Amino acid sequence: MAGLSVPPLGRARRRACALVTAMLIAGGSARAAEPAAGPLTIAEQGSFFVGGRDVQSDTLSTLPAYAPSGTISVDQIYVRYQIPVNSRRPPLALIHGCCLTGKTWETTPDGRMGWDEYFVRRGFPTYVIDQAWRGRSAASPAQINAVKMGRTDPNALPPVFSAGREPAWAIFRFGPEYPKVFPGMQFPLEAQGEFWKQMVPDWSAALPVPNPTVPALSELAKRLKGAVLISHSQSGIYPFQTAALDRSGLRAIVAIEPAACPDPAKDDLAPYKDLPILVLFGDYVDASPRWAPRLKQCRSFVAAANAAGGKAELILLPEIGIHGNSHMLMQDKNSLDIADWLVGWIDKRAPGKS
């Protein structure tokens, strides 16, 4: 995979262009994306759960050592946080997408700094979640065990799925199909083995709409008293659904390559009036039969939201001089350049304490 790397001169030119564009579009100042080296100093770190409900079931176990009857908690989201010293920027909630967990935002597959650490170093209290029924947020085995016990028809089994790496290759836009690679693609394919280990079973198709993550995000935003919700892919619609549920606590929405935006033909656009919104896409979108229609739909939403008094923007990274990004742009080799651009956007659209 070494032959797929971008020549150093090309990266330098892209970085310079991206930083200049950041000043013009986001209103920030030119700066190196890499924060000052040295120990990470924080005021506080920890974890907690938000939301959830209790469920009583008689099919929790088929093992003799564990009783089948009892009460469990589901629908909660796990939240891990770090708070910088003397933070004056708004809290960020990072929400992963399909088939993944909060690991999305942590150390990249090839060992570079993830966005969770980068944003903390830039002064943002940062909250990384695991969606409901994913990762460290509990799922229920009751339906599966009910079928195994013969109490329920097999058709009642929940539609849990995993994304194989071969079809996921095109979904994440590493290339048009496995194992072809888009020219200049920035994802660290030399470390793809580490990325595939991040993939987990996905219960989202078995859950109601909106996903239980949405009311939990609303509760989290209110607890944080002014959060920027940053979503990705399958969770891209969640901040919009959160705003429709309750605007309290929402400072801004950043939807990174959302699988869907609100439908202006069906959805009420009033919740998005005066709310700073950024919809961000990477490269090769028009080359993807999966993502090109989603980009088109999000363009329609942004236009309709602004016509209704919104503050929505849609940015394609190639159009601001940042090229070669996959769907997993927070893990691409230029991920900190993109994060740095986002810092400028947030500082202008949702500034913290002066």
Side-chain angles (χ1 to χ4, degrees), residues 7-65:
L9 182 58
R11 284 200 299 270
R13 286 174 177 169
R14 273 195 296 277
R15 177 169 294 189
C17 183
L19 293 177
V20 170
T21 305
M23 290 190 291
L24 297 176
I25 295 180
S29 58
R31 61 178 77 89
E34 193 74 47
L40 174 63
T41 303
I42 57 175
E44 184 182 348
Q45 70 175 6
S47 61
F48 55 89
F49 290 93
V50 178
R53 62 188 175 92
D54 291 341
V55 175
Q56 198 284 327
S57 174
D58 295 325
T59 57
L60 295 179
S61 173
T62 60
L63 299 176

Side-chain angles (χ1 to χ4, degrees), residues 1 24 66 84 113 135 139 156 159 173 178 182 188 212 218 232 245 249 257 259 303 315 319 336 338 348-349 351:
M1 292 297 180
L24 297 176
Y66 296 92
M113 184 186 301
R173 296 203 315 280
Y178 183 84
F182 283 123
S218 179
H232 177 239
L245 180 66
E257 299 224 345
I315 297 293
E319 294 181 357
L336 296 189
I338 301 168
K348 185 174 182 180
R349 304 297 191 263

Side-chain angles (χ1 to χ4, degrees), residues 216-288:
L217 287 173
S218 179
E219 183 179 338
L220 176 63
K222 286 185 280 189
R223 181 184 298 192
L224 300 181
K225 299 178 181 179
V228 178
L229 301 186
I230 302 180
S231 60
H232 177 239
S233 195
Q234 170 249 331
S235 73
I237 193 65
Y238 291 177
F240 298 103
Q241 293 173 334
T242 301
L245 180 66
D246 190 345
R247 276 278 297 268
S248 301
L250 266 66
R251 293 286 298 277
I253 291 173
V254 176
I256 297 174
E257 299 224 345
C261 286
D263 185 347
K266 299 178 182 178
D267 297 326
D268 181 11
L269 299 181
Y272 315 117
K273 184 177 181 180
D274 298 324
L275 180 65
I277 295 172
L278 172 65
V279 180
L280 186 68
F281 280 90
D283 214 335
Y284 321 113
V285 178
D286 288 332
S288 169

